[in-house]
Amino acid sequence: MYRKEKSIQLKSSSAALYNNLSVLRLPGRQLACFSAVHGPSVNVVSAAADGLGFSHRQLQAKEGGMAVSTSVLTQAAWCVLPSRVLLVLTSQKGIQMYESDGSIMVYWHALDVTEHPPAQAVFARGIAAAGGRFICVGTSSGLVLVFDIPPKGTNITVSEVLEEHHDAITDIAAELGQAPDGAGDLVTADDAGTLCVWSAGEEFTLLSKIPAFGCTCSSVKLWNGVVAAGYGNGQIRLYEAATGLLRAEVNAHARWIYALDLAPQTGKLLSGAEDSFVHVWKLSRNPDTNDVEIEHCHAECVTDTQVCGARFCDPEGNSFAVTGYDLSEIFRYSQV
Amino acid sequence: MSARTLPLLFLNLGGEMLYILDQRLRAQSIPGEKARKDEWTDVDRKRVMNDIITTMFNKKFMEELFKPQELYSKKALRTVYDRLAHASIMRLNQASMDKLYDLMTMAFKYQVLLCPRPKDILLVTFNHLDAIKDFIRDSPGILNQVDETFRQLIETYSCLSAGEFQLIRQTLLIFFQDMHIRVSIFLKDKVQNSNGRFVLPISGPVPWGTEVPGLIRVFNHNGDEVKRTEFTTDGNYVTPQREGSFDLYGDRVLKLGTNMYSVSRPVETHMSGSSKNLASHAKENIVPNPLAKEELNFLARLLGGLEVKKPGGSETGFRLNLFTTDEEEEHAALTRPEELSYKVINIEATQEPGRRAELSRILGEMEVAEPRPPSAGKGEDLLALMDGL
C-alpha cells in the first residue's frame, strides 16, 4: 500500500509529453532532484530528503540560429555515468547538456533540419546513459545519436549514429540490473512501436528487433534482460531482450501509457497513463521454468489528471513521484 | 511541434464559435414583422451565419491554412477570429469578443482532453463540420466549399499514424496549457470542477482498439499462454460498441464536438478564482519575437482583404452581445483580470483607404501602405495583398 505524501510545488505546470518527469537521487547527499518540462522551459527542483526546503531553477530551451520562434522542450532527464552526472534537455532545435544542477551548459548539439522531409515535425526525444560512457538521444527522424562523454570537461563528441528506426524515437532505456549473456545494454523505441535491443560499445551492435503490432510504444525499460514496454493502447508487454520473445501481456490502462519506471533492486514496475491511473507491478523470474512473471501490487487514481510522468524515488521502489498535464505540482507517494 | 495542427485548431474553434453565435442570435432574435430596425431577425441570423461560414471556408484561406506550419500564438489566432466574427453585419464589443473566445477555447480544450484516442480529434472535427453543413444546408454554393474542405481533411489526415495524431494532440494541449476559465454550462453538467479543471471520468467505454484493463497473460518460451490473472481498480470500463465513421458522411458515434448549446441554456463564464492560479501567470514569449507580427498574418490579411458585406441603406451593423445585458458587458470589460487579457487591438475591417493603411501599419507590414484603388474586385484585392508581402 502507498499513501500520498506532501506534494512539491512547481513554478509552472507540466506539459503532456511522454516520460515528463526525471528524478535524480544522490545517495550520499540525501538530496532528490526532480525535473519536468513545460513549453520552452524545464522546472528543476531540488528537495532535501526530509521534505523541508526546496530550491527551484528554470532552464530555457536554446534558440536556433535565427530565433524565429521559441523552441519547445520535449524531455529532460538526468544521465548518471560513473564519472559524472549530466542533465540532458531535448527540444525542437537540438540537444542541450548541463552539469547535474543545471548551472552550466557543457554541450549543445543542433538538429540537422535538412535530414527531415519538409512537413515533418523536427525534434529530439528519448534520453539514456549507456555503457558507462555514452549518452544516447533519439530524433524525430528515427536516428539515435550516440554521444561519447569524457569524465569531465566539454569535449563531447558524436561517436555514432544508429539508423535502425524509421519513425520518431519515443524513449530509450539502458539495462538497470544484470543482463544475462547476449541480452544487451540498451533498448530504443519508436512511434510505430518497433523496439531495438543493442549492445553498447565503441560500435553499437543491434542484437534483436521486436516488431511493432500497430501501437506506439511511448515508454520502455530494460531490467535483467527483460524489456518492459508501454503502448498507446494501454498495454504493457514484457519481452526477452536477447530473443525478442513476448513473455507477458497486460491490459494495464484504459488510455495511452505515458511513462514507465523500474526499481532495479526489487523489480517493481511503475506505469502512468492518460486514464489518470498509476499502477505498481512486480516483475520476477520463475527459477524453475524461467518464465517472466508480473503481478499487480497497487493502483493509484490521480483524480482528474492525465499522468505524463512517473518515477520511483528510490532503487527499491518504496516511493514514487507523478506529474500530470496542467498540474503545477509533483505528487509523491510512499509505501506504508 | 506537429506542423499539421493548425487546420484542426482553426476548424474546431471556428465550429464552436458558430455554435455560440447561433445560440446568441437565436436568443436575441425577434420575429421579422415585429422587429425594429436595430433588432435581430431570423433572416439576419441566417445571413450572419452564411457570411461567416463563407469567409471561413474561402478557398485561398483554406489553401494557406493546410500548408504545414507551426501553430500561431494565442494572440495571433485571436486576431484571426476577430476578423472572422466581423465578416458580416454583426459587431462585437471587446468584452463580448473576449467571452466568445474564452468559450470557444475552453470547449475545444475539453474535447481534445477527453478524446478517447488521439485520432478521434478528427471525429470531433467532422462533428463540427457536419453541424456547419446543417447551418448552411439551403445554400449549395457554400455547401460545396465546406465539402471541399471536408475532402481535404480526409486526404491530409486519413493516412497519419496514431503516433502522429498523438503529436498533434500534444501540440494542441501545449497551446491550451494553463487555461482554466470556468464555463457555466460545464459547471452545471459537472464536466468541470469549481477550480476550472475538467473532470476525467474513470468509467465508460474504452477507446476503440484498447482492451478493458484487468487481464495479465504470461507466455512460456514456446509462446504458449501458461497463466492468466486479473487485477481490479476503481475504474469501471466497458468495451465500446462501434467505431465512428471517418467518411464524408456517417455516424461519428463520438458526441464530443456536437452542439451543446441551446436557446434555453445561456452561456456564461466566471473570471474569479483563476487569478489565484500561479500557473496562469506563465508568460508565453520570454524572448521578444521580432517576427511575431509577421506570423500574424497571412491568414488575417487574407481575411481583411475579403469584402465586408456592406448592408444597404443607412445600417452600420448590428451589435451582438454575448452577455445578458449591456451593463453586464460593460462590467465584464472593466473587471477582466489582467493576465487573461488577450491584448488584442480591436480591428474593424472597413474599406476606407486611410483606415486600411492604419491596419497595415499595425500588422507590421514592411511596405508603406498606399491607398488602394477603390474599384478593385475581390480577387484583385487578394492578389494585391499577396504581391505586397
Side-chain angles (χ1 to χ4, degrees):
Chain A
M1 271 304 291
Y2 291 81
R3 74 146 181 251
K4 196 162 184 293
E5 305 280 1
K6 191 163 183 297
S7 333
I8 301 172
Q9 297 302 317
L10 291 171
K11 292 281 186 213
S12 59
S13 60
S14 302
L17 296 170
Y18 304 139
N19 308 300
N20 192 7
L21 175 64
S22 182
V23 176
L24 176 69
R25 189 135 188 284
L26 303 169
R29 288 167 55 191
Q30 290 294 312
L31 197 74
C33 306
F34 303 83
S35 71
V37 302
H38 168 196
S41 56
V42 57
N43 286 306
V44 181
V45 185
S46 305
D50 59 1
L52 308 166
F54 302 89
S55 62
H56 295 257
R57 181 176 238 144
Q58 270 193 332
L59 300 175
Q60 303 301 323
K62 188 167 148 68
E63 300 297 316
M66 283 263 312
V68 171
S69 57
T70 52
S71 178
V72 167
L73 283 173
T74 55
Q75 201 180 355
W78 275 285
C79 291
V80 179
L81 293 163
S83 49
R84 68 200 294 195
V85 176
L86 291 179
L87 176 62
V88 180
L89 309 184
T90 50
S91 72
Q92 289 178 283
K93 296 283 191 287
I95 300 151
Q96 295 154 252
M97 298 192 190
Y98 291 81
E99 295 296 355
S100 67
D101 61 358
S103 55
I104 310 164
M105 182 156 77
V106 299
Y107 183 69
W108 157 249
H109 177 97
L111 283 178
D112 186 358
V113 183
T114 57
E115 262 167 18
H116 298 73
Q120 296 284 54
V122 177
F123 54 87
R125 184 175 60 186
I127 305 165
R133 184 180 146 194
F134 304 101
I135 288 179
C136 301
V137 179
T139 69
S140 47
S141 59
L143 301 177
V144 176
L145 304 170
V146 180
F147 295 94
D148 197 336
I149 314 290
K152 56 184 183 187
T154 59
N155 190 20
I156 295 169
T157 54
V158 178
S159 119
E160 206 180 342
V161 178
L162 309 176
E163 289 183 37
E164 206 56 47
H165 291 273
H166 305 296
D167 300 90
I169 302 294
T170 48
D171 196 17
I172 304 177
E175 170 62 67
L176 292 170
Q178 296 279 62
D181 285 335
D185 307 303
L186 192 79
V187 59
T188 52
D190 70 26
D191 245 359
T194 309
L195 300 166
C196 291
V197 181
W198 309 82
S199 95
E202 288 279 337
E203 263 184 47
F204 277 53
T205 325
L206 180 70
L207 296 177
S208 66
K209 198 164 182 177
I210 300 166
F213 62 90
C215 280
T216 302
C217 174
S218 39
S219 197
V220 73
K221 281 272 158 315
L222 180 59
W223 180 70
N224 292 354
V226 175
V227 172
Y231 292 89
N233 67 348
Q235 271 192 350
I236 295 174
R237 291 190 172 195
L238 305 179
Y239 302 90
E240 294 277 11
T243 58
L245 202 65
L246 176 67
R247 291 304 230 142
E249 195 179 290
V250 185
N251 296 340
H253 288 273
R255 300 273 293 269
W256 204 286
I257 291 179
Y258 260 60
L260 286 185
D261 197 21
L262 201 137
Q265 290 191 9
T266 51
K268 278 197 186 152
L269 181 72
L270 187 69
S271 65
E274 283 176 3
D275 65 353
S276 307
F277 278 91
V278 174
H279 291 292
V280 181
W281 319 83
K282 184 96 177 345
L283 262 59
S284 57
R285 220 184 250 280
N286 186 312
D288 305 319
T289 62
N290 213 33
D291 285 342
V292 177
E293 311 213 315
I294 176 168
E295 61 170 306
H296 183 254
C297 300
H298 178 77
E300 192 66 48
C301 180
V302 189
T303 314
D304 297 335
T305 304
Q306 296 206 339
V307 174
C308 55
R311 295 271 182 190
F312 282 118
C313 298
D314 63 275
E316 290 94 22
N318 293 327
S319 59
F320 61 88
V322 172
T323 53
Y325 171 63
D326 255 357
L327 214 57
S328 299
E329 46 190 329
I330 298 175
F331 289 140
R332 291 195 291 177
Y333 303 83
S334 359
Q335 199 147 32
V336 292
Chain B
M1 289 188 302
S2 169
R4 297 228 169 267
T5 316
L6 190 58
L8 298 179
L9 182 61
F10 176 78
L11 289 170
N12 284 292
L13 286 180
E16 287 301 316
M17 183 173 87
L18 289 167
Y19 288 161
I20 298 162
L21 290 178
D22 182 66
Q23 190 270 324
R24 292 306 294 161
L25 288 168
R26 280 177 199 272
Q28 291 182 9
S29 83
I30 313 285
E33 334 77 64
K34 299 191 189 141
R36 296 193 315 262
K37 255 203 156 170
D38 58 343
E39 284 176 331
W40 292 103
T41 64
D42 242 24
V43 170
D44 294 322
R45 173 177 58 82
K46 288 214 172 92
R47 192 170 149 197
V48 169
M49 297 298 282
N50 275 10
D51 286 349
I52 295 178
I53 294 171
T54 307
T55 310
M56 209 171 130
F57 289 88
N58 170 272
K59 189 156 187 276
K60 275 248 158 341
F61 187 77
M62 279 294 142
E63 258 169 35
E64 179 56 29
L65 190 73
F66 272 82
K67 289 192 187 140
Q69 57 195 302
E70 290 288 318
L71 273 191
Y72 281 17
S73 67
K74 286 199 187 65
K75 199 157 94 170
L77 198 65
R78 162 66 197 267
T79 309
V80 174
Y81 287 104
D82 268 354
R83 298 287 192 98
L84 199 56
H86 289 95
S88 75
I89 54 172
M90 184 181 70
R91 290 292 165 266
L92 289 166
N93 284 344
Q94 174 89 326
S96 277
M97 192 63 221
D98 282 345
K99 178 174 167 179
L100 176 63
Y101 196 67
D102 286 344
L103 290 169
M104 283 157 58
T105 42
M106 286 310 286
F108 189 41
K109 177 175 182 175
Y110 171 68
Q111 288 151 18
V112 171
L113 211 50
L114 262 79
C115 256
R117 295 174 301 178
K119 188 177 178 182
D120 292 337
I121 292 179
L122 207 51
L123 290 177
V124 173
T125 316
F126 290 164
N127 272 335
H128 281 117
L129 286 188
D130 288 340
I132 289 172
K133 280 163 70 170
D134 192 56
F135 282 138
I136 40 117
R137 62 183 176 280
D138 301 326
S139 318
I142 320 170
L143 204 51
N144 233 357
Q145 282 175 257
V146 179
D147 270 339
E148 251 322 294
T149 304
F150 221 118
R151 275 182 219 108
Q152 191 159 12
L153 273 174
I154 293 174
E155 194 186 301
T156 310
Y157 293 96
S158 291
C159 50
L160 293 190
S161 67
E164 283 168 296
F165 269 112
Q166 179 64 284
L167 190 68
I168 289 173
R169 183 171 175 276
Q170 290 173 342
T171 310
L172 286 169
L173 289 177
I174 290 175
F175 183 84
F176 290 126
Q177 190 111 17
D178 301 325
M179 293 187 66
H180 301 297
I181 298 162
R182 286 142 61 210
V183 176
S184 154
I185 202 173
F186 287 142
L187 295 170
K188 279 202 196 86
D189 286 349
K190 303 243 184 298
V191 302
Q192 191 179 29
N193 295 320
S194 54
N195 61 3
R197 288 164 193 275
F198 290 117
V199 173
L200 301 184
I202 56 170
S203 60
V206 289
W208 190 261
T210 294
E211 301 287 337
V212 172
L215 186 61
I216 303 174
R217 301 166 72 201
V218 173
F219 306 93
N220 65 12
H221 56 273
N222 287 327
D224 307 316
E225 185 186 306
V226 292
K227 189 155 90 162
R228 266 194 184 216
T229 45
E230 302 234 355
F231 68 94
T232 54
T233 64
D234 290 338
N236 185 11
Y237 297 103
V238 294
T239 327
Q241 292 206 322
R242 61 189 191 285
E243 193 185 12
S245 161
F246 287 90
D247 297 325
L248 199 57
Y249 301 97
D251 179 8
R252 312 296 174 196
V253 179
L254 200 62
K255 292 285 161 261
L256 295 169
T258 55
N259 196 345
M260 62 181 158
Y261 304 104
S262 65
V263 185
S264 57
R265 307 186 82 193
V267 284
E268 292 154 37
T269 54
H270 299 273
M271 290 297 129
S272 61
S274 45
S275 52
K276 297 195 191 99
N277 187 349
L278 247 185
S280 65
H281 286 275
K283 295 202 174 29
E284 202 183 297
N285 278 323
I286 297 161
V287 175
N289 190 345
L291 297 174
K293 284 179 182 157
E294 190 55 44
E295 75 172 357
L296 246 187
N297 266 278
F298 209 164
L299 292 181
R301 277 192 290 239
L302 281 180
L303 282 177
L306 295 171
E307 266 178 42
V308 170
K309 304 263 191 309
K310 259 243 154 85
S314 56
E315 304 162 276
T316 47
F318 292 80
R319 209 175 56 95
L320 179 70
N321 190 346
L322 268 275
F323 299 83
T324 335
T325 62
D326 286 351
E327 291 72 36
E328 245 192 76
E329 191 187 42
E330 260 178 57
H331 179 73
L334 294 169
T335 58
R336 189 176 181 86
E338 181 56 30
E339 68 270 13
L340 292 175
S341 159
Y342 290 105
K343 292 187 174 57
V344 175
I345 304 156
N346 206 4
I347 297 161
E348 288 196 28
T350 72
Q351 295 286 66
E352 295 165 35
R355 208 65 208 278
R356 184 72 79 83
E358 176 72 4
L359 263 178
S360 302
R361 196 181 56 74
I362 290 166
L363 293 173
E365 279 184 4
M366 304 311 272
E367 89 274 22
V368 174
E370 297 162 62
R372 300 199 187 272
S375 61
K378 200 190 283 191
E380 284 177 50
D381 268 353
L382 273 177
L383 287 173
L385 271 172
M386 285 158 78
D387 281 340
L389 290 168

